[in-house]
C-alpha cells in the first residue's frame, strides 16, 4: 500500500472512517496511522465531516449499563465469588470485605474525586480553563484548554476570590494549551468563592493584587 | 469586568470536567449522551447485547481519553459518536454479523434518515453534489457499518459498482467540503 499519494491517502482515510476499509487493509492502515500526522489529519477531516450522519433517533440503553461501565473503570469493588459451604461465612466475609473496602477504598476515593469542577472562560472562548476543586486536600487541579494570544510582556494570572478579602494569587497560567497542573492553595478553599483571571505584566502582578479587571470570572456553586 | 458566566452543562463542558476526573460529570455526560450513542451502536451491530458491549467500550475510552478532546476540532457529540462507531466496527471485526441475526427490525429507513439528518450542516449542501446511488452507498456504509460486500447485497448491484459509488461519493464530498 503506497501512502505517498495524497488523493489515495484521503480516500483510504475516508473509507477507514466510513468503515468500508476492512480486514487486513484496515489493520495495515491503523499501523500507518500511528506514525503519520498527514494520515491523522485526513482521518480527523472525515471524522468531522461525516459525523452529522451519526444523528439518528435515540434508543435508551438498559439502566444497568452505567453501573457496568463504572465497574470496568474500577469504581466499584469487584463482586465476591460464591460457593460458600458454611451458612454464616457469607455474612462474615461480607463484613470483612466491607471493613476493608472502607479502609482501602475511602482514602482513594477522597484523593481522586474533586468536590466540584468549574470552567473559567472568556466570553469569546479564547481563554478556557477547567478547574477541579478538592476541599479535602485544599488543592485545585487545573487544565488549560486554550489561552488567548498575548504580547510577550504580558502573562495571565489566576486568582482565588475569597469572601470579604482581597483576591489571592494562585500563580501564572501555564503557557501551553492542554497543560495540567495541581495548585495547593495557601488559603482554605472552604472560604473560596470563585476564580478569576487577569492580564498582568510578565511574571505576574508586581503588587500582589490584580492590576486590571478580570477577563474571566467563575463563581463556585454554593453548597 | 465580565459578567459571571453560567456554568452550563453542555457536553463540551461535561467532557472538560471528565478530563479532570470528575465522576459526577461523567455520569451526567452518560445520561445526556448514551441514548444517542446506543442508537449509533445499535444501527451498526443490530444486536442489543453487542451494542451494549460496544457502548461500554466507548464510554471507558471516553473516560480515559477525555483530555484529548479539542473543542476546536468539532463538537463533543461528534467526537463521542466517532468513538462509538470505531468500537462497533471493532466488534464486527471480532464477530462478523451473522446472516439473519438481526433483532432489530423497526429501524426507520436509512435513506430517509440520511435525508432528514443532513438538514442543518455543511454535509447537506455537499451531499447534494452526490448522485442518489453515491448518497445511498456512503450513508448506508456510515450509519449501518456495511462492508462493500454487504452494500452490494443491499443495493443489489455488483461489487465493483458499489465500490466506485463509495469512492466517487467520498471524492465529491471532499471536493465540496474543502472548496
Amino acid at each position: 500500500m503506497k501512502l505517498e499519494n495524497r488523493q489515495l491517502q484521503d480516500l483510504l482515510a475516508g473509507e477507514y472512517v466510513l468503515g468500508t476499509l476492512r480486514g487486513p487493509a484496515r489493520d495495515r492502515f491503523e499501523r500507518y496511522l500511528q506514525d503519520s500526522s498527514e494520515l491523522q489529519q485526513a482521518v480527523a477531516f472525515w471524522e468531522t465531516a461525516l459525523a452529522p450522519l451519526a444523528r439518528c433517533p435515540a434508543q435508551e440503553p438498559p439502566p444497568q449499563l452505567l453501573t457496568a461501565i463504572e465497574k470496568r473503570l474500577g469504581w466499584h469493588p469487584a463482586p465476591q465469588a460464591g460457593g460458600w459451604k458454611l451458612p454464616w461465612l457469607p455474612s462474615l466475609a461480607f463484613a470483612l470485605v466491607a471493613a476493608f473496602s472502607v479502609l482501602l477504598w475511602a482514602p482513594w476515593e477522597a484523593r481522586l474525586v474533586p468536590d466540584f469542577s468549574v470552567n473559567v472562560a472568556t466570553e469569546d472562548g479564547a481563554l478556557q480553563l477547567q478547574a477541579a476543586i478538592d476541599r479535602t486536600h485544599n488543592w485545585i487541579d487545573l487544565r488549560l484548554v486554550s489561552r488567548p494570544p498575548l504580547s510577550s510582556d504580558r502573562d495571565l494570572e489566576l486568582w482565588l476570590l475569597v469572601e470579604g478579602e482581597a483576591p489571592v494569587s494562585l500563580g501564572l497560567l501555564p503557557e501551553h494549551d492542554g497543560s495540567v497542573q495541581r495548585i495547593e492553595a495557601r488559603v482554605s478553599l472552604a472560604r473560596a468563592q470563585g476564580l478569576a483571571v487577569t492580564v498582568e505584566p510578565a511574571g505576574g502582578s508586581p503588587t500582589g493584587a490584580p492590576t486590571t479587571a478580570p477577563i474571566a470570572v467563575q463563581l463556585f456553586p454554593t453548597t | 469586568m465580565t459578567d459571571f458566566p453560567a456554568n452550563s452543562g453542555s457536553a463540551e463542558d461535561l467532557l472538560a470536567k471528565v478530563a479532570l476526573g470528575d465522576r459526577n460529570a461523567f455520569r451526567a455526560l452518560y445520561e445526556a449522551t448514551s441514548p444517542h450513542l446506543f442508537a449509533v451502536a445499535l444501527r451498526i451491530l443490530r444486536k442489543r447485547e453487542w451494542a451494549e458491549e460496544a457502548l461500554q467500550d466507548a464510554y471507558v475510552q471516553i473516560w480515559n481519553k477525555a483530555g484529548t478532546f479539542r473543542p476546536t476540532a468539532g463538537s463533543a457529540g461528534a467526537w463521542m459518536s466517532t468513538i462509538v462507531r470505531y468500537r462497533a466496527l471493532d466488534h464486527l471485526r471480532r464477530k462478523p454479523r451473522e446472516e439473519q441475526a438481526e433483532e432489530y427490525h423497526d429501524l426507520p429507513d436509512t435513506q430517509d434518515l440520511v435525508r432528514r439528518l443532513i438538514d442543518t450542516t455543511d454535509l447537506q449542501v455537499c451531499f447534494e453534489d452526490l448522485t442518489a446511488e453515491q448518497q445511498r452507498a456512503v450513508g448506508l456504509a456510515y450509519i449501518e457499518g456495511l462492508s462493500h460486500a454487504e452494500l452490494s447485497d443491499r443495493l443489489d448491484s455488483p461489487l465493483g459498482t458499489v465500490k466506485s459509488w463509495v469512492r466517487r461519493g467520498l471524492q465529491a464530498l471532499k471536493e465540496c467540503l474543502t472548496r
Side-chain angles (χ1 to χ4, degrees):
Chain A
M1 185 162 60
K2 276 189 193 156
L3 287 177
E4 292 82 36
N5 181 318
R6 185 60 194 269
Q7 248 190 327
L8 181 62
Q9 280 194 5
D10 278 339
L11 189 64
L12 284 170
E15 297 232 18
Y16 171 75
V17 174
L18 204 57
T20 45
L21 192 67
R22 297 272 168 133
R26 191 173 186 85
D27 297 336
R28 217 157 39 230
F29 182 86
E30 283 183 341
R31 281 200 299 277
Y32 282 111
L33 186 59
Q34 307 242 318
D35 305 318
S36 163
S37 60
E38 279 181 343
L39 272 192
Q40 285 162 14
Q41 275 171 23
V43 164
F45 168 85
W46 285 112
E47 285 175 349
T48 310
L50 293 170
L53 285 170
R55 267 190 247 134
C56 39
Q59 289 280 335
E60 284 295 331
Q64 70 279 12
L65 206 66
L66 178 60
T67 312
I69 292 166
E70 293 187 356
K71 277 197 182 121
R72 280 184 53 183
L73 291 171
W75 298 0
H76 299 281
Q80 291 302 300
W84 306 99
K85 294 220 170 105
L86 298 168
W88 48 268
L89 209 48
S91 48
L92 175 65
F94 178 79
L96 282 173
V97 168
F100 276 111
S101 301
V102 169
L103 282 174
L104 296 174
W105 194 254
W108 193 72
E109 283 272 314
R111 197 179 64 223
L112 288 183
V113 182
D115 292 286
F116 57 87
S117 305
V118 293
N119 294 326
V120 187
T122 50
E123 270 174 23
D124 63 0
L127 170 71
Q128 287 188 58
L129 177 71
Q130 284 120 33
I133 284 76
D134 184 336
R135 285 179 171 143
T136 314
H137 297 87
N138 213 53
W139 64 45
I140 300 177
D141 283 329
L142 281 186
R143 190 168 84 92
L144 183 66
V145 179
S146 65
R147 51 179 288 154
L150 284 182
S151 61
S152 60
D153 59 346
R154 290 285 180 273
D155 270 323
L156 293 175
E157 190 160 356
L158 181 67
W159 303 89
L160 190 68
L161 307 177
V162 184
E163 189 176 6
E165 291 176 26
V168 177
S169 175
L170 294 176
L172 300 181
L173 289 187
E175 303 255 327
H176 302 290
D177 294 359
S179 304
V180 176
Q181 75 180 66
R182 172 165 290 170
I183 297 174
E184 308 226 6
R186 281 164 294 159
V187 296
S188 168
L189 288 176
R191 291 191 300 130
Q193 289 185 304
L195 292 170
V197 175
T198 60
V199 179
E200 298 292 343
S205 162
T207 65
T211 61
T212 58
I215 57 169
V217 174
Q218 178 61 55
L219 291 186
F220 295 159
T222 47
T223 44
Chain B
M1 177 118 169
T2 59
D3 290 325
F4 296 152
N7 190 10
S8 70
S10 74
E12 282 75 16
D13 286 351
L14 289 172
L15 205 49
K17 292 172 185 179
V18 170
L20 292 163
D22 185 333
R23 294 183 184 184
N24 286 331
F26 179 78
R27 292 180 185 114
L29 183 69
Y30 177 88
E31 295 304 329
T33 57
S34 59
H36 167 68
L37 295 193
F38 189 53
V40 172
L42 205 49
R43 292 193 75 96
I44 293 176
L45 294 168
R46 297 187 213 161
K47 279 179 91 130
R48 292 189 71 90
E49 191 195 333
W50 292 5
E52 287 167 22
E53 286 172 26
L55 198 65
Q56 285 194 35
D57 293 345
Y59 276 98
V60 168
Q61 191 178 353
I62 288 166
W63 170 261
N64 289 327
K65 296 278 176 83
T68 66
F69 167 69
R70 293 284 167 270
T72 46
S75 73
W79 185 74
M80 289 189 290
S81 56
T82 300
I83 288 178
V84 79
R85 280 192 75 255
Y86 285 143
R87 298 292 72 81
L89 292 173
D90 280 351
H91 220 276
L92 280 185
R93 256 201 273 198
R94 295 195 301 269
K95 299 181 199 164
R97 261 196 286 261
E98 303 147 38
E99 208 68 40
Q100 308 305 325
E102 304 181 19
E103 289 172 3
Y104 197 57
H105 299 289
D106 52 341
L107 288 169
D109 179 69
T110 301
Q111 187 57 19
D112 282 357
L113 195 67
V114 172
R115 287 220 169 285
R116 264 183 293 132
L117 56 79
I118 335 176
D119 49 359
T120 53
T121 64
D122 282 351
L123 197 55
Q124 180 207 15
V125 182
C126 288
F127 232 63
E128 283 168 358
D129 282 16
L130 275 60
T131 65
E133 290 84 2
Q134 290 168 357
Q135 286 182 6
R136 207 154 41 221
V138 171
L140 276 170
Y142 190 88
I143 295 169
E144 298 194 21
L146 297 187
S147 65
H148 286 132
E150 288 165 329
L151 281 174
S152 162
D153 277 354
R154 179 76 74 91
L155 299 174
D156 201 14
S157 305
L159 191 61
T161 310
V162 166
K163 282 185 180 177
S164 138
W165 285 338
V166 170
R167 196 168 57 237
R168 284 165 201 270
L170 287 176
Q171 276 164 354
L173 268 182
K174 171 90 192 181
E175 273 166 35
C176 173
L177 287 167
T178 51
R179 223 176 356 237

